[in-house]
mmCIF file of all heavy atoms in Angstrom:
data_model
loop_
_atom_site.group_PDB
_atom_site.id
_atom_site.type_symbol
_atom_site.label_atom_id
_atom_site.label_comp_id
_atom_site.label_asym_id
_atom_site.label_seq_id
_atom_site.Cartn_x
_atom_site.Cartn_y
_atom_site.Cartn_z
ATOM 1 N N SER A 227 -80.775 150.010 103.108
ATOM 2 C CA SER A 227 -81.926 149.213 103.474
ATOM 3 C C SER A 227 -82.007 148.005 102.546
ATOM 4 O O SER A 227 -81.964 148.150 101.318
ATOM 5 C CB SER A 227 -83.205 150.062 103.379
ATOM 6 O OG SER A 227 -84.351 149.245 103.583
ATOM 7 N N LEU A 228 -82.157 146.811 103.140
ATOM 8 C CA LEU A 228 -82.312 145.573 102.373
ATOM 9 C C LEU A 228 -83.659 144.973 102.755
ATOM 10 O O LEU A 228 -83.894 144.643 103.923
ATOM 11 C CB LEU A 228 -81.181 144.591 102.676
ATOM 12 C CG LEU A 228 -81.298 143.184 102.121
ATOM 13 C CD1 LEU A 228 -81.447 143.196 100.601
ATOM 14 C CD2 LEU A 228 -80.077 142.348 102.520
ATOM 15 N N ASP A 229 -84.549 144.838 101.775
ATOM 16 C CA ASP A 229 -85.927 144.389 102.010
ATOM 17 C C ASP A 229 -86.181 143.127 101.196
ATOM 18 O O ASP A 229 -86.112 143.144 99.963
ATOM 19 C CB ASP A 229 -86.905 145.505 101.600
ATOM 20 C CG ASP A 229 -88.351 145.203 101.962
ATOM 21 O OD1 ASP A 229 -88.690 144.036 102.194
ATOM 22 O OD2 ASP A 229 -89.157 146.150 101.990
ATOM 23 N N GLY A 230 -86.483 142.014 101.887
ATOM 24 C CA GLY A 230 -86.654 140.735 101.235
ATOM 25 C C GLY A 230 -88.071 140.375 100.875
ATOM 26 O O GLY A 230 -88.352 139.230 100.527
ATOM 27 N N ALA A 231 -89.006 141.336 100.955
ATOM 28 C CA ALA A 231 -90.400 141.025 100.634
ATOM 29 C C ALA A 231 -90.582 140.844 99.126
ATOM 30 O O ALA A 231 -90.100 141.647 98.327
ATOM 31 C CB ALA A 231 -91.310 142.137 101.144
ATOM 32 N N VAL A 232 -91.302 139.778 98.762
ATOM 33 C CA VAL A 232 -91.726 139.584 97.371
ATOM 34 C C VAL A 232 -93.230 139.352 97.441
ATOM 35 O O VAL A 232 -93.696 138.248 97.727
ATOM 36 C CB VAL A 232 -91.020 138.367 96.713
ATOM 37 C CG1 VAL A 232 -91.537 138.165 95.308
ATOM 38 C CG2 VAL A 232 -89.519 138.545 96.705
ATOM 39 N N GLY A 233 -93.998 140.403 97.206
ATOM 40 C CA GLY A 233 -95.430 140.324 97.449
ATOM 41 C C GLY A 233 -95.633 140.100 98.948
ATOM 42 O O GLY A 233 -95.116 140.837 99.779
ATOM 43 N N ASN A 234 -96.392 139.020 99.291
ATOM 44 C CA ASN A 234 -96.599 138.705 100.703
ATOM 45 C C ASN A 234 -95.678 137.578 101.165
ATOM 46 O O ASN A 234 -95.916 136.957 102.192
ATOM 47 C CB ASN A 234 -98.058 138.329 100.959
ATOM 48 C CG ASN A 234 -98.492 137.106 100.159
ATOM 49 O OD1 ASN A 234 -97.741 136.597 99.334
ATOM 50 N ND2 ASN A 234 -99.702 136.637 100.396
ATOM 51 N N ARG A 235 -94.645 137.282 100.406
ATOM 52 C CA ARG A 235 -93.654 136.252 100.764
ATOM 53 C C ARG A 235 -92.340 136.903 101.164
ATOM 54 O O ARG A 235 -92.041 138.042 100.787
ATOM 55 C CB ARG A 235 -93.408 135.309 99.561
ATOM 56 C CG ARG A 235 -94.668 134.716 98.966
ATOM 57 C CD ARG A 235 -95.296 133.676 99.866
ATOM 58 N NE ARG A 235 -96.435 133.044 99.236
ATOM 59 C CZ ARG A 235 -97.142 132.074 99.784
ATOM 60 N NH1 ARG A 235 -96.821 131.615 100.981
ATOM 61 N NH2 ARG A 235 -98.197 131.546 99.152
ATOM 62 N N LEU A 236 -91.526 136.145 101.912
ATOM 63 C CA LEU A 236 -90.209 136.598 102.302
ATOM 64 C C LEU A 236 -89.151 135.736 101.631
ATOM 65 O O LEU A 236 -89.254 134.513 101.629
ATOM 66 C CB LEU A 236 -90.023 136.508 103.825
ATOM 67 C CG LEU A 236 -91.081 137.165 104.707
ATOM 68 C CD1 LEU A 236 -90.647 137.082 106.181
ATOM 69 C CD2 LEU A 236 -91.329 138.610 104.317
ATOM 70 N N VAL A 237 -88.148 136.368 101.063
ATOM 71 C CA VAL A 237 -87.045 135.632 100.444
ATOM 72 C C VAL A 237 -86.259 134.890 101.527
ATOM 73 O O VAL A 237 -85.952 135.444 102.591
ATOM 74 C CB VAL A 237 -86.110 136.599 99.682
ATOM 75 C CG1 VAL A 237 -84.826 135.898 99.253
ATOM 76 C CG2 VAL A 237 -86.827 137.166 98.453
ATOM 77 N N LEU A 238 -85.951 133.635 101.258
ATOM 78 C CA LEU A 238 -85.092 132.832 102.132
ATOM 79 C C LEU A 238 -83.674 132.871 101.613
ATOM 80 O O LEU A 238 -83.418 132.565 100.452
ATOM 81 C CB LEU A 238 -85.583 131.381 102.176
ATOM 82 C CG LEU A 238 -84.655 130.355 102.860
ATOM 83 C CD1 LEU A 238 -84.522 130.634 104.345
ATOM 84 C CD2 LEU A 238 -85.129 128.928 102.605
ATOM 85 N N LEU A 239 -82.723 133.236 102.490
ATOM 86 C CA LEU A 239 -81.301 133.126 102.169
ATOM 87 C C LEU A 239 -80.785 131.863 102.836
ATOM 88 O O LEU A 239 -80.963 131.674 104.040
ATOM 89 C CB LEU A 239 -80.520 134.339 102.692
ATOM 90 C CG LEU A 239 -80.876 135.716 102.121
ATOM 91 C CD1 LEU A 239 -79.924 136.769 102.688
ATOM 92 C CD2 LEU A 239 -80.825 135.711 100.597
ATOM 93 N N THR A 240 -80.120 131.003 102.066
ATOM 94 C CA THR A 240 -79.595 129.753 102.601
ATOM 95 C C THR A 240 -78.421 129.313 101.740
ATOM 96 O O THR A 240 -78.377 129.632 100.550
ATOM 97 C CB THR A 240 -80.685 128.664 102.630
ATOM 98 O OG1 THR A 240 -80.265 127.544 103.398
ATOM 99 C CG2 THR A 240 -81.089 128.216 101.233
ATOM 100 N N PRO A 241 -77.449 128.584 102.276
ATOM 101 C CA PRO A 241 -76.355 128.089 101.442
ATOM 102 C C PRO A 241 -76.860 127.054 100.438
ATOM 103 O O PRO A 241 -77.792 126.292 100.725
ATOM 104 C CB PRO A 241 -75.395 127.441 102.446
ATOM 105 C CG PRO A 241 -75.729 128.077 103.767
ATOM 106 C CD PRO A 241 -77.205 128.313 103.704
ATOM 107 N N ALA A 242 -76.239 127.025 99.267
ATOM 108 C CA ALA A 242 -76.555 125.996 98.287
ATOM 109 C C ALA A 242 -76.137 124.640 98.830
ATOM 110 O O ALA A 242 -75.352 124.539 99.777
ATOM 111 C CB ALA A 242 -75.832 126.304 96.980
ATOM 112 N N ALA A 243 -76.679 123.600 98.238
ATOM 113 C CA ALA A 243 -76.359 122.224 98.672
ATOM 114 C C ALA A 243 -74.847 122.008 98.634
ATOM 115 O O ALA A 243 -74.158 122.493 97.722
ATOM 116 C CB ALA A 243 -77.087 121.222 97.768
ATOM 117 N N GLN A 244 -74.356 121.300 99.621
ATOM 118 C CA GLN A 244 -72.929 120.959 99.734
ATOM 119 C C GLN A 244 -72.058 122.199 99.869
ATOM 120 O O GLN A 244 -70.865 122.174 99.537
ATOM 121 C CB GLN A 244 -72.476 120.133 98.513
ATOM 122 C CG GLN A 244 -73.330 118.934 98.198
ATOM 123 C CD GLN A 244 -73.483 117.993 99.374
ATOM 124 O OE1 GLN A 244 -72.513 117.655 100.037
ATOM 125 N NE2 GLN A 244 -74.713 117.569 99.645
ATOM 126 N N THR A 245 -72.628 123.300 100.340
ATOM 127 C CA THR A 245 -71.887 124.533 100.538
ATOM 128 C C THR A 245 -71.997 124.965 101.995
ATOM 129 O O THR A 245 -73.093 125.019 102.551
ATOM 130 C CB THR A 245 -72.432 125.673 99.641
ATOM 131 O OG1 THR A 245 -72.383 125.235 98.280
ATOM 132 C CG2 THR A 245 -71.619 126.929 99.783
ATOM 133 N N SER A 246 -70.866 125.251 102.624
ATOM 134 C CA SER A 246 -70.869 125.701 104.019
ATOM 135 C C SER A 246 -70.553 127.196 104.052
ATOM 136 O O SER A 246 -69.511 127.627 103.555
ATOM 137 C CB SER A 246 -69.815 124.927 104.827
ATOM 138 O OG SER A 246 -69.769 125.402 106.166
ATOM 139 N N ILE A 247 -71.482 127.981 104.608
ATOM 140 C CA ILE A 247 -71.313 129.430 104.713
ATOM 141 C C ILE A 247 -71.613 129.824 106.150
ATOM 142 O O ILE A 247 -72.704 129.526 106.644
ATOM 143 C CB ILE A 247 -72.228 130.173 103.731
ATOM 144 C CG1 ILE A 247 -71.902 129.771 102.276
ATOM 145 C CG2 ILE A 247 -72.098 131.680 103.901
ATOM 146 C CD1 ILE A 247 -72.809 130.418 101.237
ATOM 147 N N PRO A 248 -70.672 130.465 106.853
ATOM 148 C CA PRO A 248 -70.896 130.747 108.266
ATOM 149 C C PRO A 248 -71.857 131.881 108.568
ATOM 150 O O PRO A 248 -72.452 131.919 109.633
ATOM 151 C CB PRO A 248 -69.487 131.092 108.776
ATOM 152 C CG PRO A 248 -68.751 131.585 107.580
ATOM 153 C CD PRO A 248 -69.297 130.815 106.418
ATOM 154 N N ARG A 249 -72.012 132.849 107.635
ATOM 155 C CA ARG A 249 -72.847 134.010 107.889
ATOM 156 C C ARG A 249 -73.798 134.270 106.734
ATOM 157 O O ARG A 249 -73.395 134.176 105.564
ATOM 158 C CB ARG A 249 -71.992 135.277 108.091
ATOM 159 C CG ARG A 249 -71.132 135.247 109.343
ATOM 160 C CD ARG A 249 -70.214 136.479 109.418
ATOM 161 N NE ARG A 249 -69.313 136.570 108.273
ATOM 162 C CZ ARG A 249 -68.190 135.848 108.141
ATOM 163 N NH1 ARG A 249 -67.853 134.986 109.083
ATOM 164 N NH2 ARG A 249 -67.431 135.990 107.086
ATOM 165 N N GLY A 250 -75.041 134.614 107.067
ATOM 166 C CA GLY A 250 -75.965 135.007 106.019
ATOM 167 C C GLY A 250 -75.673 136.405 105.542
ATOM 168 O O GLY A 250 -75.393 136.636 104.375
ATOM 169 N N LEU A 251 -75.727 137.377 106.455
ATOM 170 C CA LEU A 251 -75.395 138.764 106.151
ATOM 171 C C LEU A 251 -74.409 139.265 107.201
ATOM 172 O O LEU A 251 -74.561 138.976 108.391
ATOM 173 C CB LEU A 251 -76.636 139.646 106.175
ATOM 174 C CG LEU A 251 -77.681 139.404 105.080
ATOM 175 C CD1 LEU A 251 -78.926 140.245 105.335
ATOM 176 C CD2 LEU A 251 -77.128 139.690 103.695
#
């Protein structure tokens, strides 16, 4: 189980600047 909750916020997964990534998970 992977849970991205931080309090009442959700963690955003995104590529770093100038980085191309085809899949998040």
Side-chain angles (χ1 to χ4, degrees):
S227 173
L228 172 57
D229 187 341
V232 178
N234 61 354
R235 308 288 184 178
L236 308 185
V237 169
L238 170 66
L239 297 184
T240 192
Q244 310 304 314
T245 303
S246 177
I247 299 177
R249 294 175 300 282
L251 294 173

